[in-house]
């Protein structure tokens, strides 16, 4: 990515959206509404300048930090200071200030690691320009000339490569390796993480589901999201039990000792009863679930079964009909069999995705069951993988042997 002249950016994008030229999707920097905002912003700051080229050149448009996905509308790097400008369409008056402070605080967090003075602004269409005060986390409405002076005086560095400036390790906070930063909230979830978190918390609040799964490739932030949900739940006055399927690490011990967390090794489930370790939590989190043992899983199933939660089982036209229903029933669960999918069928005529990793595997069961069961359980065809449609489990699929998908 190279620094650009802003009028060239909005003119070429406007021509694209008008159908006059074609810009490859991978090179589109602005949405249609953002083109208008950028043009109006340029008109505002250059209105009284006979030669505005100096303040309209040298910007990185739509830059994202590698591996973090945080985007900046306009970034201008100087040897003396860095300018960040966010562009907004007109915002509701009642939420305007809160909205822009939230974003500017986030942008300041990511930029402060560059260890240069920062000047952060937001332009709102038909409103004006706001300057961010990081020390007091507030904003002030300013005249356009204030920003013009900042841009004129900046010693722009046109040779800088922003991809080499940002170190993802500064932002990837681990609940275990950076406990203090995690507990003080010195991190931000990615948009995808924040979306999943909201979906899970909303579902819990609405009693829509009892079990949830967080699964993704290694290094994508599953652990941070899982523990962030647990932290948020505790901050709301709820009780949370974290069952870790390995020896507790130093960070988990610190969370227990210094912050009052309730993280226990899954070996506590050697007994057939969970009550001795559960202590009536509002949320149970199972971490590193690929290491859970059968007797430990049995204890969890028994705990659920004793609370009259029914289970719908589907073998996905495989061999699991011979084993899992019997195990569930032995633990006291009420098991409904999806007759349509329980009969072995090498062609999988009722299951286009005979892999419980894919949510589509449950489509036939949902239609068949309607509203009779609380949980859906499915095996893969050779009965090595299990998925429960719904327990908050966190695991690395690359390490799985016999897998539990939840």
């Amino acid at each position: 990515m190279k620094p650009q002249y802003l009028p060239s950016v909005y003119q070429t994008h406007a021509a694209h959206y008008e159908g006059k030229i074609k810009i490859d999707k991978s090179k589109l920097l602005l949405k249609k509404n953002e083109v208008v905002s950028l043009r109006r912003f340029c008109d505002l700051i250059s209105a009284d300048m006979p030669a505005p080229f100096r303040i309209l050149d040298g910007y990185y448009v739509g830059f994202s930090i590698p591996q973090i996905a945080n985007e900046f509308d306009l970034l201008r790097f100087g040897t003396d200071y860095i300018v960040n400008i966010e562009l907004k369409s007109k915002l509701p008056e009642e939420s305007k200030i809160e909205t822009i402070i939230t974003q500017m605080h986030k942008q300041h967090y990511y930029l402060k690691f560059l260890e240069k003075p920062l000047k952060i602004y937001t332009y709102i269409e038909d409103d004006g320009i706001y300057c961010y005060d990081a020390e007091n986390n507030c904003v002030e409405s300013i005249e356009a000339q204030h920003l013009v002076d900042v841009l004129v005086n900046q010693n722009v560095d046109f040779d800088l490569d922003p991809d080499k400036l940002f170190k993802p390790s500064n932002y990837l906070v681990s609940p275990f390796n950076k406990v203090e930063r995690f507990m003080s909230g010195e991190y931000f979830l990615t948009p995808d993480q924040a979306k999943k978190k909201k979906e899970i918390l909303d579902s819990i609040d609405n009693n829509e589901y009892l079990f949830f799964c967080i699964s993704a490739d290694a290094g994508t932030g599953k652990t941070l999201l899982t523990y962030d949900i647990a932290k948020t739940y505790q901050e709301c006055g709820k009780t949370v039990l974290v069952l870790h399927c390995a020896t507790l690490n130093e960070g988990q011990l610190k969370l227990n000792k210094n912050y009052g967390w309730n993280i226990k090794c899954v070996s506590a489930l050697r007994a057939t009863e969970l009550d001795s370790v559960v202590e009536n939590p509002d949320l149970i989190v199972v971490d590193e679930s690929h290491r859970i043992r059968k007797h430990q899983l049995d204890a969890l199933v028994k705990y659920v079964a004793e609370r009259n939660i029914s289970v719908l089982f589907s073998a996905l036209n495989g061999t699991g009909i011979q084993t899992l229903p019997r195990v569930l029933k032995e633990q006291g669960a009420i098991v409904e069999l999806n007759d349509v999918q329980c009969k072995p069928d090498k062609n999988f005529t009722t299951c286009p995705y005979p892999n419980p990793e894919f949510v589509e595997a449950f489509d036939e069961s949902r239609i068949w069951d309607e509203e009779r069961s609380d949980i859906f359980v499915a095996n893969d065809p050779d009965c090595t993988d299990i998925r429960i449609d719904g327990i908050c489990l966190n695991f690395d699929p690359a390490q799985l042997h016999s897998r539990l998908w939840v």
Side-chain angles (χ1 to χ4, degrees):
M1 180 176 276
K2 296 181 179 180
Q4 302 192 56
Y5 180 54
L6 293 184
S8 295
V9 174
Y10 70 69
Q11 288 168 7
T12 54
H13 279 70
H16 167 81
Y17 289 114
E18 292 169 1
K20 297 178 180 178
I21 63 172
K22 180 68 174 178
I23 300 178
D24 185 85
K25 187 176 181 180
S26 63
K27 296 182 179 180
L28 277 176
L29 303 175
L30 301 170
K31 300 185 179 75
K32 190 173 183 179
N33 64 303
E34 293 173 335
V35 175
V36 176
S37 297
L38 179 59
R39 179 180 60 78
R40 291 182 177 178
F41 168 73
C42 292
D43 289 345
L44 175 65
I45 64 173
S46 62
D48 299 322
M49 294 194 70
F53 182 87
R54 183 175 180 182
I55 65 169
L56 297 177
D57 194 27
Y59 294 85
Y60 291 88
V61 181
F63 174 78
S64 292
I65 302 175
Q67 299 181 40
I68 301 299
N70 186 73
E71 184 176 296
F72 301 88
D73 288 345
L74 303 177
L75 271 180
R76 199 175 194 234
F77 296 95
T79 57
D80 41 6
Y81 50 81
I82 299 169
V83 176
N84 168 221
I85 304 168
E86 297 300 315
L87 307 173
K88 298 289 184 188
S89 301
K90 191 169 179 62
L91 296 172
E93 192 64 32
E94 62 274 11
S95 60
K96 174 181 68 178
I97 299 300
E98 180 182 357
T99 298
I100 63 176
I101 286 178
T102 298
Q103 183 180 33
M104 296 164 92
H105 172 68
K106 185 176 181 179
Q107 306 301 60
H108 180 272
Y109 167 79
Y110 286 114
L111 291 170
K112 70 180 181 180
F113 290 95
L114 302 184
E115 298 181 341
K116 275 193 176 181
L118 303 174
K119 299 183 183 296
I120 301 177
Y121 304 90
T122 294
Y123 164 73
I124 304 177
E125 271 188 60
D126 302 324
D127 187 330
I129 301 172
Y130 292 81
C131 177
Y132 181 60
D133 177 356
E135 184 175 349
N136 298 301
N137 194 33
C138 63
V139 295
E140 176 188 4
S141 177
I142 60 171
E143 297 295 328
Q145 189 58 46
H146 173 104
L147 176 56
V148 169
D149 292 341
V150 168
L151 297 174
V152 167
N153 294 323
Q154 186 182 26
N155 184 19
V156 181
D157 186 348
F158 288 92
D159 298 322
L160 178 145
D161 182 355
D163 285 329
K164 296 181 180 179
L165 286 181
F166 294 91
K167 298 178 180 179
S169 59
N170 287 330
Y171 315 111
L172 297 175
V173 172
S174 165
F176 310 142
N177 299 332
K178 300 177 182 178
V179 176
E180 290 77 14
R181 285 183 60 187
F182 170 70
M183 289 304 299
S184 62
E186 293 183 34
Y187 63 92
F188 288 95
L189 300 179
T190 66
D192 284 343
Q193 288 174 325
K195 179 181 177 181
K196 292 301 180 185
K197 175 183 177 179
K198 184 177 186 305
E199 289 175 358
I200 290 174
L201 293 180
D202 286 349
S203 295
I204 293 174
D205 291 340
N206 297 327
N207 294 315
E208 292 179 359
Y209 302 103
L210 293 176
F211 297 93
F212 302 88
C213 169
I214 299 175
S215 64
D217 292 336
T220 54
K222 300 184 302 295
T223 299
L224 176 61
L225 174 57
T226 300
Y227 277 74
D228 176 76
I229 290 173
K231 179 161 75 80
T232 299
Y233 221 57
Q234 292 178 98
E235 289 171 347
C236 294
K238 304 289 187 178
T239 57
V240 178
L241 168 67
V242 179
L243 293 174
H244 185 66
C245 300
T247 303
L248 298 193
N249 59 48
E250 184 178 340
Q252 290 167 322
L253 293 174
K254 186 179 290 187
L255 287 170
N256 280 343
K257 180 179 179 180
N258 297 348
Y259 299 96
W261 279 54
N262 186 18
I263 307 174
K264 297 183 182 295
C265 181
V266 76
S267 60
L269 297 184
R270 287 174 180 168
T272 57
E273 298 292 336
L274 263 175
D275 291 327
S276 60
V277 297
V278 168
E279 300 172 1
N280 297 316
D282 297 296
L283 175 66
I284 300 175
V285 175
V286 182
D287 189 16
E288 299 289 341
S289 64
H290 61 284
R291 299 182 179 184
I292 198 167
R293 304 289 181 84
K294 180 181 180 300
H295 68 274
Q296 296 161 348
L297 176 61
D298 288 345
L300 283 173
V301 172
K302 187 174 188 294
Y303 185 77
V304 170
E306 288 175 345
R307 283 149 181 78
N308 297 317
I309 295 176
S310 58
V311 178
L312 170 70
F313 172 77
S314 173
L316 302 186
N317 298 137
T319 62
I321 187 62
Q322 305 295 327
T323 54
L324 192 60
R326 174 176 54 79
V327 172
L328 293 172
K329 288 178 180 179
E330 286 175 355
Q331 296 298 327
I334 304 168
V335 180
E336 293 278 350
L337 297 180
N338 178 352
D339 296 333
V340 176
Q341 288 185 319
C342 279
K343 182 179 179 180
D345 179 354
K346 66 179 180 180
N347 296 315
F348 305 107
T349 53
T350 68
C351 184
Y353 294 93
N355 184 337
E357 179 179 348
F358 298 103
V359 295
E360 292 87 351
F362 291 89
D363 289 346
E364 181 68 34
S365 293
R366 295 182 193 283
I367 296 172
W368 179 87
D369 184 66
E370 296 180 348
E371 297 180 355
R372 286 181 290 181
S373 300
D374 299 305
I375 302 173
F376 297 95
V377 177
N379 278 129
D380 68 338
D382 58 0
C383 200
T384 58
D385 298 356
I386 304 169
R387 177 164 183 144
I388 303 173
D389 188 26
I391 228 158
C392 186
L393 298 180
N394 180 23
F395 55 85
D396 178 357
Q399 300 178 18
L400 296 181
H401 298 288
S402 180
R403 296 177 289 184
L404 173 66
W405 292 89
V406 181

